[in-house]
Amino acid sequence: MQFWASMPLANIKNNRSNLSRSSSENLPNKEKIMTDIVRREIRLVSRPKGIPTADNFAIAQTELKPLQDGQVLVRNLYMSVDPYMRGRMNEGKSYVPSFALGKALEGGAVGEVIESRAQEFKPGDVVTSNYGWREYFIAAPKDLHQVSRDIQPLSVYLGALGMTGMTAWVGLNLVEVKAGDVIFISGAAGAVGNVAGQLAKLRGCHVIGSAGSMEKIKFLQEECGFDSAFDYKAGPILEQLNQAAPDGIDVYFDNVGGETLQAALSALRVHGRIIACGSISGYNDEKPQPGPSNLFNMIGKRLTMKGLIVRDWLDRQSEFEQEVGGYFQAGKLKNKETEVAGIDRSVDAFIGLFEGKNVGKMVVKLD
């Protein structure tokens, strides 16, 4: 039941009042039954034109219904903001439904079970879900994935050990990246790119990355172990790529599209492979931009280009968690984050993705 009308995010002020009440305040914590949970959530109120603004969103408060048998109440601890969400803000048919106006947005989140009336979960369990952009939610067990509290920080389940990390792992498997490959990764300092580069190094590849600042270049080389990296803003991309890989590249992991894809098509060797993961350079275009002018290279070089949607690989999630989780726990894989605090700053965090404000995974820590 909504009891407070949505307010434009641009006008909202921080409110740190207690938003939940217990009907059994005098009971031990393990026996408390939480009721009358009031949550804040972020809603899409208009379709963005170009880069989203705060006016496209609103913050609202809703009161959750009483928990029913077979349901679980979760308090979100962290939520994810990701570039792919921009496409869901448009109308039109796509591989995933558009966000509905006036409804809470969706996205990855990691939270703690507060109350459970389902045998699969108990209070204190840590779970991931697709119920981000809200502080609390009620769900069926099938919509939750339990993870270990022992692995810290818990936000890693949105980054290196979450869907972004799995996207990187899937991409490398998609085109069978192997030892000795020279791989070029665009958007390399982002959530997917930096993990893809680290995993490629663990496979014995020579790794080249592009990013948008010298701070990010330093991160890629000094923290992620990239063999080389360049600032795509500093000069023509193809010239810089040719300098980094004078004998060409075997694999291009595409997170950007546009001019960078065109450069990679020229730099790829015969029988090279392209991992089509994202195209952030065009996500905010109101009209599609012309494609690469050198697509004939696909024929002349006998190239392979494969696209991926990570949800198609969920049957292999346990394999990913075992392999990549092992790297993380052994200290062989770094999880880099840019953290923003408070659900009322989540839209700023999301818009910041398109302004290059994140290094690694952008996460929002909820109060």
Side-chain angles (χ1 to χ4, degrees):
M1 174 182 68
Q2 181 180 336
F3 67 92
W4 183 52
S6 300
M7 294 183 63
L9 205 69
N11 298 333
I12 203 69
K13 293 184 178 180
N14 288 343
N15 181 353
R16 299 292 183 245
S17 61
N18 185 8
L19 296 179
S20 65
R21 301 182 292 278
S22 172
S23 61
S24 49
E25 294 291 343
N26 297 321
L27 293 177
N29 286 338
K30 66 179 181 179
E31 299 179 14
K32 284 185 179 181
I33 304 298
M34 301 298 290
T35 60
D36 302 329
I37 296 294
V38 178
R39 77 176 181 208
R40 291 182 293 176
E41 62 184 34
I42 303 298
R43 298 176 178 178
L44 185 69
V45 295
S46 61
R47 306 271 178 209
K49 301 294 185 183
I51 297 177
T53 70
D55 292 334
N56 297 126
F57 306 87
I59 191 165
Q61 291 185 173
T62 62
E63 183 174 328
L64 299 184
K65 296 179 181 179
L67 203 63
Q68 303 296 311
D69 287 342
Q71 292 184 326
V72 182
L73 172 65
V74 178
R75 176 174 68 91
N76 277 334
L77 304 174
Y78 297 91
M79 56 165 274
S80 176
V81 291
D82 301 285
Y84 84 89
M85 296 175 177
R86 176 61 184 86
R88 296 192 66 185
M89 294 175 186
N90 298 329
E91 283 188 301
K93 188 175 181 180
S94 184
Y95 67 90
V96 64
S98 298
F99 289 129
L101 295 180
K103 302 289 186 179
L105 296 163
E106 299 173 351
V110 58
E112 179 182 25
V113 173
I114 302 300
E115 181 185 350
S116 177
R117 297 184 66 176
Q119 63 181 5
E120 293 89 343
F121 297 98
K122 64 182 184 302
D125 286 345
V126 177
V127 297
T128 58
S129 74
N130 198 42
Y131 290 99
W133 297 92
R134 67 204 78 192
E135 294 174 311
Y136 294 85
F137 66 90
I138 292 172
K142 66 180 179 62
D143 296 326
L144 306 175
H145 178 67
Q146 188 168 358
V147 295
S148 173
R149 185 183 287 274
D150 294 336
I151 295 180
Q152 295 288 333
L154 291 176
S155 53
V156 72
Y157 292 113
L158 300 176
L161 301 188
M163 286 300 102
T164 49
M166 187 170 175
T167 299
W169 179 81
V170 167
L172 299 183
N173 287 332
L174 187 69
V175 300
E176 300 177 350
V177 172
K178 62 187 185 301
D181 280 339
V182 177
I183 181 171
F184 168 49
I185 302 169
S186 58
V192 173
N194 85 88
V195 176
Q198 292 182 73
L199 293 179
K201 283 298 297 180
L202 288 168
R203 293 192 182 195
C205 298
H206 182 92
V207 181
I208 303 164
S210 64
S213 71
M214 292 311 299
E215 174 196 6
K216 293 179 179 180
I217 300 308
K218 184 177 180 180
F219 159 65
L220 293 174
Q221 294 181 306
E222 296 184 3
E223 297 187 44
C224 298
F226 280 52
D227 294 284
S228 64
F230 61 86
D231 182 351
Y232 70 88
K233 299 177 182 178
I237 295 172
L238 181 57
E239 289 183 13
Q240 295 190 80
L241 181 54
N242 285 338
Q243 184 175 359
D247 296 323
I249 61 176
D250 300 295
V251 180
Y252 172 46
F253 198 120
D254 188 17
N255 293 303
V256 171
E259 181 185 353
T260 310
L261 173 58
Q262 178 155 318
L265 284 166
S266 292
L268 280 158
R269 298 168 176 165
V270 172
H271 299 302
R273 295 100 77 199
I274 301 171
I275 304 159
C277 180
S279 188
I280 193 172
S281 68
Y283 285 170
N284 292 302
D285 292 341
E286 295 187 50
K287 294 182 179 180
Q289 298 298 312
S293 61
N294 58 345
L295 276 176
F296 185 78
N297 283 321
M298 294 289 298
I299 302 169
K301 297 183 179 183
R302 284 82 85 198
L303 304 178
T304 298
M305 184 174 188
K306 291 186 176 182
L308 73 96
I309 302 296
V310 70
R311 68 179 184 183
D312 294 341
W313 291 65
L314 292 181
D315 61 332
R316 294 182 62 179
Q317 186 170 3
S318 60
E319 181 184 345
F320 156 74
E321 290 175 342
Q322 182 176 3
E323 178 184 341
V324 180
Y327 292 144
F328 180 74
Q329 289 180 290
K332 297 180 179 179
L333 179 70
K334 297 182 183 297
N335 179 63
K336 183 70 172 182
E337 297 177 350
T338 299
E339 183 180 291
V340 172
I343 194 170
D344 48 330
R345 294 187 62 202
S346 56
V347 170
D348 289 339
F350 173 69
I351 295 173
L353 294 172
F354 303 101
E355 298 172 344
K357 292 185 177 179
N358 63 302
V359 178
K361 181 77 184 76
M362 181 79 86
V363 296
V364 178
K365 183 178 182 180
L366 301 183
D367 298 328

